[in-house]
Amino acid sequence: MFDYSLISGNMELFKFIYSFIVVFICAVIVLKTHKLFKLSLHQGIRYFRNAFFFFGIAFLFRYVLGSRWISQFIIGSENYFIIIILFEFFLIMAGFSLFYSLVWKRFEKSDKGSLSSLFNFKMLVFYVMSLLIAMLDSLWDTYLFMFLVQIILFLIASIISYRNYKMKGDKHRFLKFYFIAMLLSLTAWILNAILANYLSWNKGILLNVYLINIVVFVLFLYGVVKLTRK
């Protein structure tokens, strides 16, 4: 079996490397999907791109700017809750954006979509909801609300992505990667919720969750790269 003691003894360094990998993958996905959106003007791709923009910012705040080495010089330990609020806010916005990338046709009047995908009425609703959820978690010193919202979002997104994949068949391989990534994301969120509420953030299981998260982002990246090559 893999010995986690070396990593668990250097968790701050591992989290920094882990977040750097995720932020890098998010940046590549954002750049590639932005080019793809410019060519296709597909609104689903537009919100998919935004989701990884928010994911990248969330991980940047939590594990880079929020690392013990850096945060004490930027905001001080007494204001660390600000980092957590921002982390939750952008993470929840990423979940909303990924979910909306699957259902946008039900809410947009035109295939052209809104003038801005970051600043419109629907996104404003998501911003307000994300901020309220992050604030509630901060006030009650918990992650419960974030976990609950993300599990619901990714459960619905997994069902929708599975239906899309079954309807369009094996020829649309990106949809297969999309569904698998959504399912793994849902699994990671459920494990995170269990870790936080019942296992007191057990390091061994937490490391496995981090590895699942990396696999999820790599799957999305692989799917995007395959799609953009075509």
Side-chain angles (χ1 to χ4, degrees):
M1 293 180 65
F2 182 76
D3 184 10
Y4 288 103
S5 59
L6 181 62
I7 296 178
S8 61
N10 298 276
M11 281 298 289
E12 284 295 316
L13 179 59
F14 175 77
K15 287 179 181 179
F16 188 86
I17 296 172
Y18 160 71
S19 63
F20 180 82
I21 293 171
V22 172
V23 170
F24 175 76
I25 292 174
C26 287
V28 174
I29 291 175
V30 168
L31 291 174
K32 286 188 172 294
T33 50
H34 181 69
K35 290 180 180 178
L36 191 60
F37 167 69
K38 289 295 184 182
L39 290 171
S40 65
L41 297 180
H42 190 284
Q43 298 304 309
I45 295 174
R46 196 184 193 191
Y47 288 101
F48 180 86
R49 174 202 64 192
N50 292 353
F52 286 89
F53 171 72
F54 289 126
F55 272 130
I57 294 177
F59 277 85
L60 186 66
F61 270 111
R62 177 64 179 88
Y63 296 111
V64 179
L65 297 178
S67 68
R68 185 174 57 190
W69 310 317
I70 299 176
S71 62
Q72 60 183 345
F73 295 107
I74 297 177
I75 61 171
S77 57
E78 68 278 3
N79 296 318
Y80 189 75
F81 72 95
I82 297 173
I83 293 290
I84 300 300
I85 290 174
L86 289 172
F87 169 65
E88 279 203 34
F89 171 77
F90 287 113
L91 205 58
I92 297 167
M93 277 303 304
F96 278 132
S97 297
L98 208 54
F99 170 75
Y100 195 71
S101 72
L102 293 168
V103 299
W104 67 273
K105 282 190 176 181
R106 301 182 183 184
F107 300 95
E108 300 285 350
K109 295 180 180 179
S110 169
D111 287 345
K112 294 182 180 179
S114 304
L115 184 62
S116 170
S117 60
L118 289 174
F119 302 101
N120 57 58
F121 178 75
K122 299 173 189 66
M123 293 303 292
L124 179 61
V125 173
F126 290 149
Y127 285 137
V128 172
M129 291 174 64
S130 299
L131 185 59
L132 286 175
I133 293 166
M135 291 294 292
L136 284 173
D137 274 345
S138 178
L139 289 172
W140 289 8
D141 193 23
T142 182
Y143 291 102
L144 179 63
F145 296 106
M146 178 182 69
F147 288 143
L148 182 61
V149 170
Q150 295 293 73
I151 288 172
I152 292 172
L153 284 175
F154 280 92
L155 175 60
I156 298 172
S158 296
I159 294 171
I160 295 173
S161 57
Y162 176 73
R163 288 177 59 187
N164 289 343
Y165 168 62
K166 294 303 288 184
M167 286 173 60
K168 296 186 178 181
D170 292 334
K171 291 182 180 180
H172 294 75
R173 294 190 65 191
F174 177 70
L175 295 177
K176 181 179 181 179
F177 291 116
Y178 200 98
F179 166 64
I180 295 172
M182 285 292 189
L183 201 58
L184 285 174
S185 297
L186 174 63
T187 302
W189 278 113
I190 292 173
L191 287 174
N192 266 313
I194 294 172
L195 276 170
N197 292 285
Y198 300 106
L199 298 177
S200 301
W201 295 107
N202 180 277
K203 287 186 178 181
I205 301 175
L206 184 60
L207 288 172
N208 284 311
V209 173
Y210 286 159
L211 292 176
I212 292 174
N213 282 335
I214 290 176
V215 170
V216 168
F217 283 101
V218 169
L219 276 173
F220 276 121
L221 176 62
Y222 180 76
V224 168
V225 169
K226 293 284 286 186
L227 190 63
T228 51
R229 281 181 180 176
K230 291 183 180 181

